[in-house]
Amino acid sequence: MHVVMVGGGVIGLVTAWRAAQRGMRVTVVDPEPGGGAARVAAGMLAAVTELHFGEETLLTLNLASAERYAAFAAELSEVSGQDVGYRACGTLAVALDADDRAHLRELHALQQRCGLTSQWLTGRECRRLEPMLAPGVRGGLRVDGDHQVDPRRLAAALLTACAAAGVVFRRARAQRLLVGGDRARGVLLADGAELACDQVVLAGGSESGRLAGVPDDVLPPVRPVKGQVLRLRMPPGPAPFLSRTVRAVVRGGQVYLVPRTDGELVVGATSEELGWDTTVTAGGVYELLRDAHELVPGLTELPLAETRAGLRPCSPDNAPLLGPTALPGLQLATGHHRNGVLLTPVTGDALAASLATGELPEVARPFTPRRFAHTAAGAPVRQELPV
Ligand code: GLY
């Protein structure tokens, strides 16, 4: 079977790798494979700390992927010879004022109702764990199961693993889905080449709803949600600046600090509905630094190494669209919103199974794109991809 993957971000790459491991011939179409939202993402594996009311079904998928992460990272490192920066460090979510504290208490209650492990700490206990925290911290939740990975290293290792498994890369933009005889038949590239195949997987992140030629009733309802992210450098030394991911809700906005063993400290993230805009703004940087500084005042002494903005691919219910569509020959792996890096292992496994058998494994079945079939009229207005 020949599979064409439209999109070479971490979701497209992991699907390509797993499909190639099952003996399929795979071509990844992307002008810049290894790019996409993972180049900006912090890499939190936050199944428990990013739990939201009404998203219990998504929690099941998130937990399934989190459980696979250690083995997935070890296998990928072994195959690629590259470290992916997987760190089983846990997370501390803290509250800075009474409102934040009430919000965190509600999250704790929801976690308990869902059978998740988290522990309520006083402000003093939080600072004992992380001495750089502000003295005003009012309490927090210790979540020892929410870890981190380095998304840039992950993408690089997936590129190597794909190449080793025989995946072919076409560094071009997919311009149009080719449909004939009521099924997807391949992809027209911007350079004029036509790639015929048995199955197309649309894994184009936030651009997945923009591919020309996809019939309206199967066009994924995915929109971009902008996130601005900063990268700082922590000083080397025997005592770590932060030893785990630290996060808070400050004035209603999420801020998180993800410390890596190589000294990088990632500060994220804004969440902005601004279409395709990826400008890093003074306001975005200001808000992130202001909120992060309230959390960890010493952070403003650190060198600021990088500012970037990326686009999360968001679906109407914040959950991914996985597997076969109503158009034979077209499958989706998109709409992962805030969880693309976390969901990478389970997405690769689910899509490879779906390509091989035509059926999603049970854990992924609730995420069939067919759940939006009745809302086809609500699909995003088609905008042709720029050539
Ligand atoms: N999961 C973190 C974010 O999307 O900002």
Side-chain angles (χ1 to χ4, degrees), residues 9 15 30 80 128-129 131 146 168 171 215 232 268 297 311 358 381 387:
T15 304
D30 194 312
S80 66
R128 206 173 294 139
L129 280 182
D146 275 3
V168 172
R171 292 172 188 269
L232 282 56
L311 299 174
V381 176
V387 177

Side-chain angles (χ1 to χ4, degrees), residues 102-162:
H103 168 90
L104 216 50
R105 284 281 193 198
E106 281 178 18
L107 176 63
H108 190 210
L110 178 62
Q111 289 167 345
Q112 287 179 318
R113 281 201 298 280
C114 293
L116 301 170
T117 306
S118 58
Q119 185 191 357
W120 184 263
L121 302 182
T122 63
R124 183 176 298 199
E125 287 168 332
C126 290
R127 283 191 301 282
R128 206 173 294 139
L129 280 182
E130 295 295 343
M132 294 304 284
L133 279 173
V137 163
R138 304 279 292 267
L141 273 179
R142 177 176 175 167
V143 180
D144 286 343
D146 275 3
H147 303 314
Q148 60 156 293
V149 70
D150 184 333
R152 293 178 179 176
R153 289 176 188 264
L154 177 69
L158 282 169
L159 279 172
T160 304
C162 280

Side-chain angles (χ1 to χ4, degrees), residues 285-374:
V285 174
Y286 164 72
E287 280 172 28
L288 286 173
L289 284 177
R290 179 197 62 196
D291 295 350
H293 175 255
E294 282 192 31
L295 204 55
V296 176
L299 162 150
T300 47
E301 305 295 323
L302 303 181
L304 175 60
E306 191 186 313
T307 59
R308 259 191 200 235
L311 299 174
R312 304 176 184 91
C314 186
S315 74
D317 60 6
N318 295 332
L321 292 94
L322 304 175
T325 64
L327 180 69
L330 178 65
Q331 304 219 13
L332 301 183
T334 188
H336 292 71
H337 192 210
R338 298 181 69 91
N339 298 308
V341 176
L342 169 62
L343 290 174
T344 294
V346 79
T347 299
D349 294 346
L351 261 290
S354 167
L355 286 165
T357 66
E359 297 275 337
L360 281 170
E362 194 166 339
V363 68
R365 272 186 213 148
F367 305 97
T368 168
R370 294 170 196 217
R371 71 189 190 276
F372 294 119
H374 61 288

Side-chain angles (χ1 to χ4, degrees), residues 8-11 13-14 17 32-36 38-39 69 72-73 76-85 149-165 169 171 341 344:
V10 289
I11 295 297
L13 291 175
V14 75
W17 181 41
E32 209 186 332
R39 197 163 283 172
Y69 235 103
F72 169 76
L76 186 53
S77 297
E78 165 94 29
V79 167
S80 66
Q82 293 164 241
D83 175 27
V84 300
V149 70
D150 184 333
R152 293 178 179 176
R153 289 176 188 264
L154 177 69
L158 282 169
L159 279 172
T160 304
C162 280
F169 289 94
R171 292 172 188 269
V341 176
T344 294

Side-chain angles (χ1 to χ4, degrees), residues 85-111:
Y86 175 72
R87 211 181 147 202
C89 58
T91 295
L92 183 63
V94 302
L96 290 167
D97 62 25
D99 286 347
D100 302 343
R101 199 163 177 274
H103 168 90
L104 216 50
R105 284 281 193 198
E106 281 178 18
L107 176 63
H108 190 210
L110 178 62
Q111 289 167 345

Side-chain angles (χ1 to χ4, degrees), residues 44 50 256 269 312 338:
M44 284 182 302
E50 288 209 356
Y256 46 78
R312 304 176 184 91
R338 298 181 69 91

